Amino acid sequence: MDESSIGVRIRQFRGKALTQRQLADQAGVSVDLVRKLEQGGRQTASIASLQKIARALDVDIADLIGKRQGVPSANPDAGIVAIRRALTPVDDLLGGTKEETAVSLDDGRRAVDYAWGAYWSGRYELLTSILPPGLTQLRATVHAARNGSVAPANELLARMYWVTGCTLVHLGQTDPAFLAIRQALAAADLGNDPLLLATIRGSVAWQLLIQGRYDESRGVALNAAAALEPSGDVTPTHLSAYGSLVLQGATAAGRAQDVHDALSLVQAASEVALRIGADRQDYETYFGPSQVVMQTVDVNVSSERYPEALAAAEDMPANGSLPQASRARHLADTAVALTRTGQHQRALNALLTAERVGGADWLKYQTLPRHIVSELLDHDRKVPLRAFARRIGVNT
């Protein structure tokens, strides 16, 4: 068995403290699933099941699926350690404030926009070099702000903390990621933009979902949505922020295996998307018909409703405008459904397209494609699949 597989890690974490049956009982999954994962009969399971197993083992899911990793660099001011330092300054405890150069609001806005562009392109390694100085400079900008510049400076800092948190999630660093998003929320609260504040609350809900805290995730997202519920004529930006929060609640309900509520919320989000009429990007967040289809597929895959997931994927608009990272993730989800319904060649084709769309940097930090390829290798060991497996680090 691949020594880096989920099954090996489950067995290691379980040790002698729990039998397979005891683990299954505590996690609320079948003992057959635990046995097949440990024996290599299955290379992965639904996200909801893996979250339950991780919780029963008292580990983070990033440790279970092998996602947590560093980003080695020759630059001592880059990488995850540098981001952690930027998130946790102690200059006030050292007798003063470290001198940092404040930047103008225009320069700060350009830096934030550049960071978000890198994020949506899946360029996580680039982000580990630009986020540490970006955070320290914008904190200096907030410190130097006066009068009318205080609120916009805090909003820029909030957006930089926000992209930092999102990046850390993809690098498997869930604890500093949550610290970053809470700091983003605090900075946004000092701004003057209720839509920004609500959307960052939606990102808190996303991080809670990543941690397996599904009920809290749904609650945070839907509470934020309730505060924005449209009444009368509102702007498309307002509708987009509201619809995105409803969709986040749907995703959390799906992960909690509350399929009825999840699909009901998806339908509500779909009606908002229909009212807008097209995909939009507002407040670093994409919402519209394409995002609704993507999350409908996610809800069905996480509930192991694979035929329904494939049927939903057929509705993806041909002229949709999902960002690169989201398009690649949608293709990976589709590959899961294709694999589980025995359509192995189509699954490989979807993964190859995801590789082209997301790029090597995105793919390097994704575990789902590796797990699906491991499953495909049990059915097909032809050259194209083996070559792809080697490219993404799967033993053949």
Side-chain angles (χ1 to χ4, degrees), residues 87-170:
L87 286 173
T88 54
V90 293
D91 303 312
D92 59 320
L93 302 178
L94 296 174
T97 301
K98 184 178 179 181
E99 290 294 327
E100 294 289 351
T101 302
V103 296
S104 68
L105 293 180
D106 284 343
D107 284 347
R109 193 170 294 108
R110 279 190 285 269
V112 168
D113 289 343
Y114 183 72
W116 275 104
Y119 173 78
W120 285 119
S121 298
R123 303 181 67 188
Y124 307 128
E125 293 185 5
L126 170 63
L127 282 160
T128 64
S129 66
I130 64 178
L131 290 174
L135 288 169
T136 54
Q137 288 170 1
L138 280 173
R139 272 201 301 266
T141 300
V142 167
H143 183 72
R146 297 291 183 273
N147 302 323
S149 65
V150 172
N154 274 289
E155 288 161 10
L156 287 174
L157 179 59
R159 291 172 60 201
M160 190 65 89
Y161 274 128
W162 182 10
V163 70
T164 301
C166 292
T167 300
L168 288 168
V169 166
H170 287 285

Side-chain angles (χ1 to χ4, degrees), residues 189-385:
D189 204 33
L190 297 174
N192 192 30
D193 190 335
L195 293 181
L196 174 64
L197 184 61
T199 308
I200 291 178
R201 285 178 177 165
S203 194
V204 173
W206 174 61
Q207 288 207 24
L208 290 169
L209 181 142
I210 297 298
Q211 296 175 26
R213 297 162 66 177
Y214 302 131
D215 289 339
E216 292 169 290
S217 175
R218 174 167 41 181
V220 168
L222 296 183
N223 281 347
L228 292 185
E229 187 163 4
S231 177
D233 290 333
V234 296
T235 65
T237 302
H238 187 137
L239 286 173
S240 178
Y242 171 75
S244 180
L245 288 165
V246 173
L247 205 52
Q248 181 63 55
T251 304
R255 297 289 172 86
Q257 305 299 293
D258 190 344
V259 180
H260 176 76
D261 188 44
L263 294 178
S264 176
L265 289 167
V266 165
Q267 180 58 36
S270 179
E271 291 170 4
V272 178
L274 185 63
R275 185 173 169 184
I276 295 174
D279 293 331
R280 291 182 59 86
Q281 181 190 8
D282 299 289
Y283 293 95
E284 333 301 351
T285 302
Y286 288 78
F287 179 76
S290 298
Q291 197 72 28
V292 169
V293 171
M294 177 183 171
Q295 295 308 122
T296 304
V297 172
D298 179 275
V299 165
N300 283 300
V301 167
S302 65
S303 305
E304 300 189 353
R305 291 158 41 96
Y306 303 120
E308 291 85 351
L310 293 176
E314 293 293 329
D315 293 331
M316 180 62 73
N319 59 346
S321 56
L322 288 175
Q324 288 173 242
S326 294
R327 286 169 56 206
R329 173 64 196 210
H330 171 66
L331 287 163
D333 279 342
T334 304
V336 173
L338 289 167
T339 300
R340 301 288 167 76
T341 54
Q343 302 178 66
H344 303 136
Q345 184 57 52
R346 289 185 63 198
L348 175 58
N349 292 342
L351 289 173
L352 290 171
T353 304
E355 180 185 33
R356 291 195 296 272
V357 169
D361 199 4
W362 175 85
L363 192 63
K364 181 177 179 180
Y365 294 98
Q366 305 302 310
T367 57
L368 184 59
R370 291 198 289 275
H371 294 317
I372 297 305
V373 165
S374 294
E375 287 192 36
L376 290 174
L377 284 168
D378 291 336
H379 304 280
D380 176 11
R381 302 191 65 81
K382 294 178 183 176
V383 171
L385 176 59

